[in-house]
Amino acid sequence: MANIIIFGDSITEGLYDKEKGGWANRLKIFLEEENYNFNLYNLGISGDSTNEVIERFDKEMKARISDDQIIIIFAIGINDSQLVNQSPRYSLESFKENLKKLLEKSKKLTNKIVFIGLTPIDEQKVNPMPWAPGKSYMTDNLNKFDNALKILCQENRLCFIDINKKLTDLNYKELLEDGAHPNSEGHQKMFEIIKSSLLKNNIIAKT
């Protein structure tokens, strides 16, 4: 039995997927239905940035470490790219440093580490965010953070799932509930992309 542990934010948590509870839960359902020998723990928390994941990483992992194989998936960063009153919530450099910290912590536990890129947004709907006045997402800034993720994975030969490009190649605005969070169809597309990449890169396999 292997443990898949997913750290993320509200998108990982599954917000707005009223059908199956999000891409991560869809992945869990797939593994169960196809008789893969895995436990999946969805540790997505709404509003989290890399700062919050670093703060809870050790405690979360301690509760789930066993002799079984561990796979760690990070789907985090969109909140790091957020702007507050048009100024960065976090600098790109601090984001890069946080990624390195998460990678260092993860390497002590497993060599199966995956980073999922940032999901695209509909900037017209989230600049500013209707549900959080003063806060906004902008595509140019989001892409800088997404590229930092990509470079980290290239430099460390990690599996990087370029969800941004794959969703952008689709009519992604129709896959968004509010300009930032995927709707049920968007979560299904994310699940398909992520599942395919995990299988292709032998991150998950039947034993």
Side-chain angles (χ1 to χ4, degrees):
M1 181 71 72
N3 293 325
I4 301 174
I5 301 171
I6 307 176
F7 288 93
D9 46 37
S10 57
I11 296 175
T12 302
E13 184 181 10
L15 193 66
Y16 293 122
D17 183 0
K18 298 176 182 178
E19 295 178 2
K20 293 187 177 180
W23 69 262
N25 196 53
R26 289 169 184 263
L27 179 60
K28 182 177 182 179
I29 293 169
F30 164 78
L31 294 172
E32 291 172 350
E33 290 181 343
E34 297 297 320
N35 296 314
Y36 281 80
N37 199 22
F38 288 88
N39 289 318
L40 187 148
Y41 299 96
N42 182 354
L43 305 183
I45 295 180
S46 182
D48 264 15
S49 68
T50 52
N51 277 359
E52 285 76 33
V53 172
I54 288 171
E55 288 174 2
R56 62 188 173 96
F57 182 89
D58 292 339
K59 184 177 180 180
E60 299 273 28
M61 292 305 301
K62 185 178 180 180
R64 295 168 178 86
I65 288 176
S66 67
D67 293 333
D68 299 322
Q69 182 189 53
I70 294 173
I71 298 167
I72 300 175
I73 300 176
F74 293 104
I76 194 75
I78 192 168
N79 289 320
D80 294 74
S81 76
Q82 193 180 86
L83 302 176
V84 180
N85 297 320
Q86 297 302 307
S87 296
R89 178 181 175 185
Y90 298 110
S91 70
L92 184 59
E93 288 307 311
S94 68
F95 178 63
K96 291 177 181 178
E97 286 302 311
N98 282 353
L99 293 179
K100 290 178 182 177
K101 290 177 183 178
L102 288 172
L103 181 56
E104 288 171 3
K105 287 177 175 290
S106 300
K107 280 183 173 180
K108 295 176 182 178
L109 303 172
T110 182
N111 62 357
K112 289 204 170 187
I113 304 164
V114 178
F115 283 87
I116 297 173
L118 308 188
T119 49
I121 56 167
D122 184 348
E123 189 173 319
Q124 290 183 336
K125 292 184 177 180
V126 292
N127 184 25
M129 295 158 52
W131 62 91
K135 296 181 180 180
S136 60
Y137 294 110
M138 296 183 67
T139 297
D140 285 349
N141 199 53
L142 185 148
N143 287 345
K144 291 176 183 176
F145 282 69
D146 186 58
N147 192 54
L149 273 170
K150 187 182 300 184
I151 291 172
L152 174 86
C153 292
Q154 289 173 344
E155 291 177 345
N156 291 276
R157 297 183 179 180
L158 302 173
C159 177
F160 175 74
I161 302 178
D162 197 347
I163 203 79
N164 192 300
K165 182 180 186 305
K166 291 182 183 296
L167 288 182
T168 300
D169 288 344
L170 304 172
N171 192 3
Y172 73 95
K173 291 184 180 180
E174 294 184 359
L175 303 175
L176 298 175
E177 178 74 21
D178 56 9
H181 298 92
N183 54 27
S184 293
E185 185 181 357
H187 277 284
Q188 175 63 23
K189 293 294 184 185
M190 288 186 69
F191 155 68
E192 291 170 0
I193 293 165
I194 293 165
K195 177 198 72 173
S196 177
S197 183
L198 294 176
L199 292 171
K200 179 179 178 182
N201 289 282
N202 294 314
I203 303 298
I204 57 174
K206 285 188 175 179
T207 55

mmCIF file of all heavy atoms in Angstrom, residues 142-186:
data_model
loop_
_atom_site.group_PDB
_atom_site.id
_atom_site.type_symbol
_atom_site.label_atom_id
_atom_site.label_comp_id
_atom_site.label_asym_id
_atom_site.label_seq_id
_atom_site.Cartn_x
_atom_site.Cartn_y
_atom_site.Cartn_z
ATOM 1 N N LEU A 142 0.717 35.612 -12.389
ATOM 2 C CA LEU A 142 0.508 34.182 -12.181
ATOM 3 C C LEU A 142 1.480 33.359 -13.022
ATOM 4 O O LEU A 142 2.054 32.379 -12.542
ATOM 5 C CB LEU A 142 -0.935 33.812 -12.503
ATOM 6 C CG LEU A 142 -1.384 32.372 -12.242
ATOM 7 C CD1 LEU A 142 -2.863 32.337 -11.844
ATOM 8 C CD2 LEU A 142 -1.174 31.483 -13.465
ATOM 9 N N ASN A 143 1.683 33.772 -14.254
ATOM 10 C CA ASN A 143 2.578 33.034 -15.149
ATOM 11 C C ASN A 143 4.028 33.055 -14.658
ATOM 12 O O ASN A 143 4.773 32.090 -14.866
ATOM 13 C CB ASN A 143 2.497 33.597 -16.566
ATOM 14 C CG ASN A 143 1.198 33.217 -17.253
ATOM 15 O OD1 ASN A 143 0.480 32.324 -16.809
ATOM 16 N ND2 ASN A 143 0.877 33.904 -18.341
ATOM 17 N N LYS A 144 4.430 34.141 -14.000
ATOM 18 C CA LYS A 144 5.785 34.212 -13.449
ATOM 19 C C LYS A 144 5.969 33.161 -12.346
ATOM 20 O O LYS A 144 7.007 32.497 -12.266
ATOM 21 C CB LYS A 144 6.065 35.609 -12.895
ATOM 22 C CG LYS A 144 6.166 36.688 -13.959
ATOM 23 C CD LYS A 144 6.357 38.053 -13.324
ATOM 24 C CE LYS A 144 6.374 39.158 -14.387
ATOM 25 N NZ LYS A 144 6.475 40.500 -13.765
ATOM 26 N N PHE A 145 4.960 33.019 -11.509
ATOM 27 C CA PHE A 145 5.029 32.029 -10.431
ATOM 28 C C PHE A 145 4.962 30.616 -11.005
ATOM 29 O O PHE A 145 5.665 29.715 -10.535
ATOM 30 C CB PHE A 145 3.893 32.275 -9.434
ATOM 31 C CG PHE A 145 4.143 33.415 -8.485
ATOM 32 C CD1 PHE A 145 4.162 34.728 -8.935
ATOM 33 C CD2 PHE A 145 4.369 33.178 -7.144
ATOM 34 C CE1 PHE A 145 4.402 35.789 -8.066
ATOM 35 C CE2 PHE A 145 4.601 34.223 -6.256
ATOM 36 C CZ PHE A 145 4.626 35.542 -6.729
ATOM 37 N N ASP A 146 4.135 30.439 -12.008
ATOM 38 C CA ASP A 146 4.030 29.134 -12.655
ATOM 39 C C ASP A 146 5.359 28.751 -13.300
ATOM 40 O O ASP A 146 5.795 27.594 -13.211
ATOM 41 C CB ASP A 146 2.921 29.176 -13.710
ATOM 42 C CG ASP A 146 2.637 27.817 -14.323
ATOM 43 O OD1 ASP A 146 2.302 26.884 -13.571
ATOM 44 O OD2 ASP A 146 2.741 27.691 -15.562
ATOM 45 N N ASN A 147 6.016 29.708 -13.914
ATOM 46 C CA ASN A 147 7.302 29.431 -14.556
ATOM 47 C C ASN A 147 8.367 29.080 -13.526
ATOM 48 O O ASN A 147 9.244 28.233 -13.789
ATOM 49 C CB ASN A 147 7.753 30.647 -15.370
ATOM 50 C CG ASN A 147 8.912 30.329 -16.297
ATOM 51 O OD1 ASN A 147 8.847 29.403 -17.097
ATOM 52 N ND2 ASN A 147 9.986 31.099 -16.193
ATOM 53 N N ALA A 148 8.296 29.690 -12.339
ATOM 54 C CA ALA A 148 9.240 29.357 -11.270
ATOM 55 C C ALA A 148 9.084 27.902 -10.850
ATOM 56 O O ALA A 148 10.071 27.203 -10.589
ATOM 57 C CB ALA A 148 9.033 30.280 -10.077
ATOM 58 N N LEU A 149 7.840 27.436 -10.794
ATOM 59 C CA LEU A 149 7.569 26.025 -10.506
ATOM 60 C C LEU A 149 8.192 25.126 -11.563
ATOM 61 O O LEU A 149 8.836 24.120 -11.247
ATOM 62 C CB LEU A 149 6.061 25.783 -10.470
ATOM 63 C CG LEU A 149 5.309 26.000 -9.168
ATOM 64 C CD1 LEU A 149 3.808 25.936 -9.429
ATOM 65 C CD2 LEU A 149 5.700 24.953 -8.155
ATOM 66 N N LYS A 150 7.994 25.500 -12.801
ATOM 67 C CA LYS A 150 8.487 24.702 -13.919
ATOM 68 C C LYS A 150 10.016 24.600 -13.878
ATOM 69 O O LYS A 150 10.587 23.516 -14.057
ATOM 70 C CB LYS A 150 8.023 25.320 -15.241
ATOM 71 C CG LYS A 150 8.324 24.494 -16.467
ATOM 72 C CD LYS A 150 7.884 25.205 -17.738
ATOM 73 C CE LYS A 150 6.413 25.487 -17.754
ATOM 74 N NZ LYS A 150 5.948 26.096 -19.025
ATOM 75 N N ILE A 151 10.682 25.715 -13.639
ATOM 76 C CA ILE A 151 12.146 25.737 -13.601
ATOM 77 C C ILE A 151 12.667 24.888 -12.446
ATOM 78 O O ILE A 151 13.638 24.137 -12.594
ATOM 79 C CB ILE A 151 12.651 27.188 -13.496
ATOM 80 C CG1 ILE A 151 12.374 27.942 -14.804
ATOM 81 C CG2 ILE A 151 14.147 27.219 -13.159
ATOM 82 C CD1 ILE A 151 12.661 29.420 -14.749
ATOM 83 N N LEU A 152 12.022 24.987 -11.273
ATOM 84 C CA LEU A 152 12.425 24.169 -10.132
ATOM 85 C C LEU A 152 12.394 22.693 -10.492
ATOM 86 O O LEU A 152 13.324 21.939 -10.166
ATOM 87 C CB LEU A 152 11.489 24.436 -8.949
ATOM 88 C CG LEU A 152 11.716 23.545 -7.727
ATOM 89 C CD1 LEU A 152 12.793 24.134 -6.828
ATOM 90 C CD2 LEU A 152 10.429 23.330 -6.936
ATOM 91 N N CYS A 153 11.330 22.277 -11.161
ATOM 92 C CA CYS A 153 11.191 20.862 -11.519
ATOM 93 C C CYS A 153 12.204 20.441 -12.578
ATOM 94 O O CYS A 153 12.753 19.335 -12.518
ATOM 95 C CB CYS A 153 9.769 20.588 -12.004
ATOM 96 S SG CYS A 153 8.537 20.739 -10.690
ATOM 97 N N GLN A 154 12.478 21.316 -13.525
ATOM 98 C CA GLN A 154 13.475 21.015 -14.547
ATOM 99 C C GLN A 154 14.854 20.851 -13.923
ATOM 100 O O GLN A 154 15.593 19.917 -14.242
ATOM 101 C CB GLN A 154 13.498 22.124 -15.600
ATOM 102 C CG GLN A 154 12.271 22.144 -16.493
ATOM 103 C CD GLN A 154 12.240 23.354 -17.411
ATOM 104 O OE1 GLN A 154 12.959 24.347 -17.199
ATOM 105 N NE2 GLN A 154 11.404 23.294 -18.435
ATOM 106 N N GLU A 155 15.202 21.745 -13.024
ATOM 107 C CA GLU A 155 16.524 21.722 -12.391
ATOM 108 C C GLU A 155 16.710 20.503 -11.489
ATOM 109 O O GLU A 155 17.831 20.026 -11.300
ATOM 110 C CB GLU A 155 16.740 23.001 -11.589
ATOM 111 C CG GLU A 155 16.888 24.241 -12.452
ATOM 112 C CD GLU A 155 17.024 25.512 -11.641
ATOM 113 O OE1 GLU A 155 16.720 25.487 -10.431
ATOM 114 O OE2 GLU A 155 17.428 26.540 -12.213
ATOM 115 N N ASN A 156 15.604 20.012 -10.923
ATOM 116 C CA ASN A 156 15.693 18.897 -9.982
ATOM 117 C C ASN A 156 15.144 17.589 -10.555
ATOM 118 O O ASN A 156 15.000 16.610 -9.831
ATOM 119 C CB ASN A 156 14.946 19.252 -8.694
ATOM 120 C CG ASN A 156 15.624 20.337 -7.897
ATOM 121 O OD1 ASN A 156 16.537 20.070 -7.131
ATOM 122 N ND2 ASN A 156 15.186 21.578 -8.093
ATOM 123 N N ARG A 157 14.849 17.604 -11.850
ATOM 124 C CA ARG A 157 14.339 16.420 -12.549
ATOM 125 C C ARG A 157 13.112 15.826 -11.860
ATOM 126 O O ARG A 157 13.033 14.629 -11.599
ATOM 127 C CB ARG A 157 15.448 15.376 -12.684
ATOM 128 C CG ARG A 157 16.622 15.869 -13.534
ATOM 129 C CD ARG A 157 17.670 14.807 -13.706
ATOM 130 N NE ARG A 157 18.777 15.274 -14.549
ATOM 131 C CZ ARG A 157 19.829 14.542 -14.863
ATOM 132 N NH1 ARG A 157 19.924 13.286 -14.413
ATOM 133 N NH2 ARG A 157 20.781 15.034 -15.628
ATOM 134 N N LEU A 158 12.183 16.712 -11.575
ATOM 135 C CA LEU A 158 10.937 16.315 -10.927
ATOM 136 C C LEU A 158 9.811 16.292 -11.941
ATOM 137 O O LEU A 158 9.876 16.953 -12.977
ATOM 138 C CB LEU A 158 10.573 17.297 -9.804
ATOM 139 C CG LEU A 158 11.584 17.484 -8.685
ATOM 140 C CD1 LEU A 158 11.131 18.602 -7.763
ATOM 141 C CD2 LEU A 158 11.775 16.191 -7.905
ATOM 142 N N CYS A 159 8.773 15.567 -11.617
ATOM 143 C CA CYS A 159 7.579 15.548 -12.463
ATOM 144 C C CYS A 159 6.824 16.862 -12.288
ATOM 145 O O CYS A 159 6.397 17.202 -11.181
ATOM 146 C CB CYS A 159 6.692 14.365 -12.086
ATOM 147 S SG CYS A 159 5.138 14.302 -13.016
ATOM 148 N N PHE A 160 6.682 17.602 -13.369
ATOM 149 C CA PHE A 160 5.914 18.841 -13.379
ATOM 150 C C PHE A 160 4.728 18.672 -14.314
ATOM 151 O O PHE A 160 4.901 18.314 -15.483
ATOM 152 C CB PHE A 160 6.776 20.018 -13.858
ATOM 153 C CG PHE A 160 5.998 21.312 -14.015
ATOM 154 C CD1 PHE A 160 5.592 22.024 -12.906
ATOM 155 C CD2 PHE A 160 5.671 21.794 -15.278
ATOM 156 C CE1 PHE A 160 4.876 23.200 -13.039
ATOM 157 C CE2 PHE A 160 4.952 22.967 -15.426
ATOM 158 C CZ PHE A 160 4.556 23.667 -14.307
ATOM 159 N N ILE A 161 3.536 18.889 -13.804
ATOM 160 C CA ILE A 161 2.335 18.764 -14.619
ATOM 161 C C ILE A 161 1.902 20.161 -15.051
ATOM 162 O O ILE A 161 1.434 20.954 -14.231
ATOM 163 C CB ILE A 161 1.221 18.039 -13.844
ATOM 164 C CG1 ILE A 161 1.710 16.648 -13.402
ATOM 165 C CG2 ILE A 161 -0.033 17.917 -14.712
ATOM 166 C CD1 ILE A 161 0.706 15.864 -12.575
ATOM 167 N N ASP A 162 2.076 20.448 -16.318
ATOM 168 C CA ASP A 162 1.844 21.801 -16.844
ATOM 169 C C ASP A 162 0.348 22.011 -17.083
ATOM 170 O O ASP A 162 -0.127 22.097 -18.215
ATOM 171 C CB ASP A 162 2.640 21.999 -18.136
ATOM 172 C CG ASP A 162 2.775 23.466 -18.513
ATOM 173 O OD1 ASP A 162 2.056 24.298 -17.931
ATOM 174 O OD2 ASP A 162 3.598 23.783 -19.392
ATOM 175 N N ILE A 163 -0.377 22.108 -15.990
ATOM 176 C CA ILE A 163 -1.830 22.235 -16.067
ATOM 177 C C ILE A 163 -2.239 23.552 -16.718
ATOM 178 O O ILE A 163 -3.272 23.633 -17.398
ATOM 179 C CB ILE A 163 -2.454 22.100 -14.655
ATOM 180 C CG1 ILE A 163 -3.921 21.673 -14.743
ATOM 181 C CG2 ILE A 163 -2.295 23.358 -13.831
ATOM 182 C CD1 ILE A 163 -4.135 20.218 -14.989
ATOM 183 N N ASN A 164 -1.423 24.585 -16.532
ATOM 184 C CA ASN A 164 -1.735 25.895 -17.105
ATOM 185 C C ASN A 164 -1.814 25.819 -18.627
ATOM 186 O O ASN A 164 -2.790 26.246 -19.239
ATOM 187 C CB ASN A 164 -0.681 26.917 -16.661
ATOM 188 C CG ASN A 164 -1.088 28.342 -16.971
ATOM 189 O OD1 ASN A 164 -1.294 28.698 -18.122
ATOM 190 N ND2 ASN A 164 -1.200 29.155 -15.931
ATOM 191 N N LYS A 165 -0.779 25.255 -19.234
ATOM 192 C CA LYS A 165 -0.746 25.161 -20.694
ATOM 193 C C LYS A 165 -1.855 24.252 -21.215
ATOM 194 O O LYS A 165 -2.536 24.583 -22.193
ATOM 195 C CB LYS A 165 0.602 24.641 -21.171
ATOM 196 C CG LYS A 165 0.717 24.563 -22.688
ATOM 197 C CD LYS A 165 2.059 24.035 -23.117
ATOM 198 C CE LYS A 165 2.205 24.105 -24.639
ATOM 199 N NZ LYS A 165 1.109 23.405 -25.340
ATOM 200 N N LYS A 166 -2.044 23.126 -20.536
ATOM 201 C CA LYS A 166 -3.027 22.156 -21.029
ATOM 202 C C LYS A 166 -4.452 22.703 -20.934
ATOM 203 O O LYS A 166 -5.271 22.468 -21.827
ATOM 204 C CB LYS A 166 -2.888 20.838 -20.263
ATOM 205 C CG LYS A 166 -1.584 20.102 -20.593
ATOM 206 C CD LYS A 166 -1.493 18.781 -19.863
ATOM 207 C CE LYS A 166 -0.170 18.087 -20.139
ATOM 208 N NZ LYS A 166 -0.005 17.716 -21.550
ATOM 209 N N LEU A 167 -4.757 23.432 -19.876
ATOM 210 C CA LEU A 167 -6.090 24.017 -19.761
ATOM 211 C C LEU A 167 -6.248 25.230 -20.679
ATOM 212 O O LEU A 167 -7.322 25.457 -21.227
ATOM 213 C CB LEU A 167 -6.372 24.423 -18.310
ATOM 214 C CG LEU A 167 -6.607 23.283 -17.317
ATOM 215 C CD1 LEU A 167 -6.919 23.854 -15.935
ATOM 216 C CD2 LEU A 167 -7.740 22.361 -17.766
ATOM 217 N N THR A 168 -5.173 25.987 -20.855
ATOM 218 C CA THR A 168 -5.233 27.144 -21.743
ATOM 219 C C THR A 168 -5.475 26.719 -23.177
ATOM 220 O O THR A 168 -6.144 27.416 -23.951
ATOM 221 C CB THR A 168 -3.936 27.975 -21.633
ATOM 222 O OG1 THR A 168 -3.787 28.417 -20.282
ATOM 223 C CG2 THR A 168 -3.994 29.196 -22.543
ATOM 224 N N ASP A 169 -4.955 25.550 -23.547
ATOM 225 C CA ASP A 169 -5.178 25.031 -24.896
ATOM 226 C C ASP A 169 -6.637 24.642 -25.121
ATOM 227 O O ASP A 169 -7.084 24.515 -26.260
ATOM 228 C CB ASP A 169 -4.278 23.807 -25.151
ATOM 229 C CG ASP A 169 -2.816 24.195 -25.315
ATOM 230 O OD1 ASP A 169 -2.537 25.383 -25.539
ATOM 231 O OD2 ASP A 169 -1.952 23.295 -25.211
ATOM 232 N N LEU A 170 -7.381 24.462 -24.029
ATOM 233 C CA LEU A 170 -8.817 24.217 -24.121
ATOM 234 C C LEU A 170 -9.548 25.556 -24.013
ATOM 235 O O LEU A 170 -8.935 26.602 -23.838
ATOM 236 C CB LEU A 170 -9.265 23.279 -22.981
ATOM 237 C CG LEU A 170 -8.543 21.931 -22.894
ATOM 238 C CD1 LEU A 170 -8.955 21.213 -21.608
ATOM 239 C CD2 LEU A 170 -8.858 21.064 -24.108
ATOM 240 N N ASN A 171 -10.864 25.535 -24.092
ATOM 241 C CA ASN A 171 -11.635 26.762 -23.877
ATOM 242 C C ASN A 171 -11.832 26.917 -22.368
ATOM 243 O O ASN A 171 -12.923 26.747 -21.838
ATOM 244 C CB ASN A 171 -12.984 26.672 -24.598
ATOM 245 C CG ASN A 171 -13.693 28.010 -24.667
ATOM 246 O OD1 ASN A 171 -13.162 29.035 -24.230
ATOM 247 N ND2 ASN A 171 -14.895 28.016 -25.191
ATOM 248 N N TYR A 172 -10.735 27.262 -21.688
ATOM 249 C CA TYR A 172 -10.683 27.127 -20.236
ATOM 250 C C TYR A 172 -11.630 28.058 -19.495
ATOM 251 O O TYR A 172 -12.059 27.767 -18.369
ATOM 252 C CB TYR A 172 -9.257 27.325 -19.727
ATOM 253 C CG TYR A 172 -8.765 28.756 -19.768
ATOM 254 C CD1 TYR A 172 -8.868 29.576 -18.651
ATOM 255 C CD2 TYR A 172 -8.197 29.284 -20.918
ATOM 256 C CE1 TYR A 172 -8.421 30.879 -18.681
ATOM 257 C CE2 TYR A 172 -7.750 30.580 -20.958
ATOM 258 C CZ TYR A 172 -7.865 31.391 -19.848
ATOM 259 O OH TYR A 172 -7.436 32.681 -19.887
ATOM 260 N N LYS A 173 -11.992 29.199 -20.093
ATOM 261 C CA LYS A 173 -12.876 30.134 -19.383
ATOM 262 C C LYS A 173 -14.229 29.502 -19.085
ATOM 263 O O LYS A 173 -14.881 29.839 -18.100
ATOM 264 C CB LYS A 173 -13.026 31.423 -20.169
ATOM 265 C CG LYS A 173 -11.749 32.261 -20.211
ATOM 266 C CD LYS A 173 -11.951 33.582 -20.926
ATOM 267 C CE LYS A 173 -10.648 34.385 -20.947
ATOM 268 N NZ LYS A 173 -10.820 35.686 -21.637
ATOM 269 N N GLU A 174 -14.639 28.565 -19.933
ATOM 270 C CA GLU A 174 -15.892 27.860 -19.692
ATOM 271 C C GLU A 174 -15.742 26.799 -18.606
ATOM 272 O O GLU A 174 -16.737 26.230 -18.147
ATOM 273 C CB GLU A 174 -16.395 27.210 -20.977
ATOM 274 C CG GLU A 174 -16.808 28.228 -22.053
ATOM 275 C CD GLU A 174 -17.386 27.567 -23.285
ATOM 276 O OE1 GLU A 174 -17.455 26.308 -23.301
ATOM 277 O OE2 GLU A 174 -17.769 28.288 -24.216
ATOM 278 N N LEU A 175 -14.500 26.533 -18.200
ATOM 279 C CA LEU A 175 -14.239 25.532 -17.173
ATOM 280 C C LEU A 175 -14.107 26.164 -15.792
ATOM 281 O O LEU A 175 -13.839 25.466 -14.810
ATOM 282 C CB LEU A 175 -12.951 24.765 -17.493
ATOM 283 C CG LEU A 175 -12.903 24.056 -18.850
ATOM 284 C CD1 LEU A 175 -11.531 23.442 -19.079
ATOM 285 C CD2 LEU A 175 -13.993 22.985 -18.941
ATOM 286 N N LEU A 176 -14.298 27.487 -15.706
ATOM 287 C CA LEU A 176 -14.149 28.203 -14.447
ATOM 288 C C LEU A 176 -15.500 28.605 -13.879
ATOM 289 O O LEU A 176 -16.378 29.070 -14.601
ATOM 290 C CB LEU A 176 -13.282 29.453 -14.648
ATOM 291 C CG LEU A 176 -11.839 29.220 -15.112
ATOM 292 C CD1 LEU A 176 -11.157 30.555 -15.391
ATOM 293 C CD2 LEU A 176 -11.052 28.425 -14.071
ATOM 294 N N GLU A 177 -15.631 28.466 -12.575
ATOM 295 C CA GLU A 177 -16.874 28.826 -11.892
ATOM 296 C C GLU A 177 -16.982 30.329 -11.693
ATOM 297 O O GLU A 177 -18.038 30.924 -11.894
ATOM 298 C CB GLU A 177 -16.936 28.120 -10.529
ATOM 299 C CG GLU A 177 -18.153 28.450 -9.690
ATOM 300 C CD GLU A 177 -19.410 27.796 -10.215
ATOM 301 O OE1 GLU A 177 -19.318 26.795 -10.961
ATOM 302 O OE2 GLU A 177 -20.503 28.276 -9.857
ATOM 303 N N ASP A 178 -15.859 30.947 -11.276
ATOM 304 C CA ASP A 178 -15.887 32.361 -10.882
ATOM 305 C C ASP A 178 -14.695 33.155 -11.413
ATOM 306 O O ASP A 178 -14.419 34.241 -10.931
ATOM 307 C CB ASP A 178 -15.937 32.465 -9.362
ATOM 308 C CG ASP A 178 -14.768 31.725 -8.691
ATOM 309 O OD1 ASP A 178 -13.852 31.285 -9.422
ATOM 310 O OD2 ASP A 178 -14.769 31.587 -7.460
ATOM 311 N N GLY A 179 -13.997 32.603 -12.364
ATOM 312 C CA GLY A 179 -12.814 33.267 -12.897
ATOM 313 C C GLY A 179 -11.512 32.752 -12.326
ATOM 314 O O GLY A 179 -10.441 33.029 -12.861
ATOM 315 N N ALA A 180 -11.596 31.996 -11.220
ATOM 316 C CA ALA A 180 -10.387 31.443 -10.598
ATOM 317 C C ALA A 180 -10.527 29.965 -10.289
ATOM 318 O O ALA A 180 -9.595 29.194 -10.499
ATOM 319 C CB ALA A 180 -10.050 32.210 -9.319
ATOM 320 N N HIS A 181 -11.699 29.570 -9.781
ATOM 321 C CA HIS A 181 -11.903 28.179 -9.384
ATOM 322 C C HIS A 181 -12.578 27.384 -10.499
ATOM 323 O O HIS A 181 -13.551 27.852 -11.085
ATOM 324 C CB HIS A 181 -12.788 28.099 -8.136
ATOM 325 C CG HIS A 181 -12.195 28.768 -6.937
ATOM 326 N ND1 HIS A 181 -12.450 30.085 -6.638
ATOM 327 C CD2 HIS A 181 -11.368 28.290 -5.969
ATOM 328 C CE1 HIS A 181 -11.802 30.404 -5.523
ATOM 329 N NE2 HIS A 181 -11.141 29.343 -5.103
ATOM 330 N N PRO A 182 -12.089 26.194 -10.779
ATOM 331 C CA PRO A 182 -12.745 25.361 -11.791
ATOM 332 C C PRO A 182 -14.148 24.946 -11.343
ATOM 333 O O PRO A 182 -14.419 24.788 -10.150
ATOM 334 C CB PRO A 182 -11.830 24.129 -11.887
ATOM 335 C CG PRO A 182 -10.533 24.549 -11.294
ATOM 336 C CD PRO A 182 -10.867 25.564 -10.249
ATOM 337 N N ASN A 183 -15.016 24.770 -12.332
ATOM 338 C CA ASN A 183 -16.318 24.168 -12.068
ATOM 339 C C ASN A 183 -16.167 22.649 -12.151
ATOM 340 O O ASN A 183 -15.044 22.135 -12.264
ATOM 341 C CB ASN A 183 -17.372 24.700 -13.041
ATOM 342 C CG ASN A 183 -16.965 24.529 -14.508
ATOM 343 O OD1 ASN A 183 -16.201 23.622 -14.849
ATOM 344 N ND2 ASN A 183 -17.451 25.404 -15.362
ATOM 345 N N SER A 184 -17.262 21.924 -12.092
ATOM 346 C CA SER A 184 -17.172 20.455 -12.110
ATOM 347 C C SER A 184 -16.486 19.950 -13.374
ATOM 348 O O SER A 184 -15.658 19.028 -13.324
ATOM 349 C CB SER A 184 -18.568 19.842 -11.988
ATOM 350 O OG SER A 184 -19.123 20.110 -10.712
ATOM 351 N N GLU A 185 -16.828 20.549 -14.521
ATOM 352 C CA GLU A 185 -16.188 20.135 -15.774
ATOM 353 C C GLU A 185 -14.697 20.450 -15.741
ATOM 354 O O GLU A 185 -13.872 19.665 -16.229
ATOM 355 C CB GLU A 185 -16.850 20.832 -16.961
ATOM 356 C CG GLU A 185 -16.315 20.364 -18.301
ATOM 357 C CD GLU A 185 -16.946 21.083 -19.491
ATOM 358 O OE1 GLU A 185 -17.853 21.912 -19.274
ATOM 359 O OE2 GLU A 185 -16.531 20.810 -20.636
ATOM 360 N N GLY A 186 -14.343 21.591 -15.155
ATOM 361 C CA GLY A 186 -12.931 21.945 -15.040
ATOM 362 C C GLY A 186 -12.162 20.972 -14.165
ATOM 363 O O GLY A 186 -11.039 20.577 -14.487
#
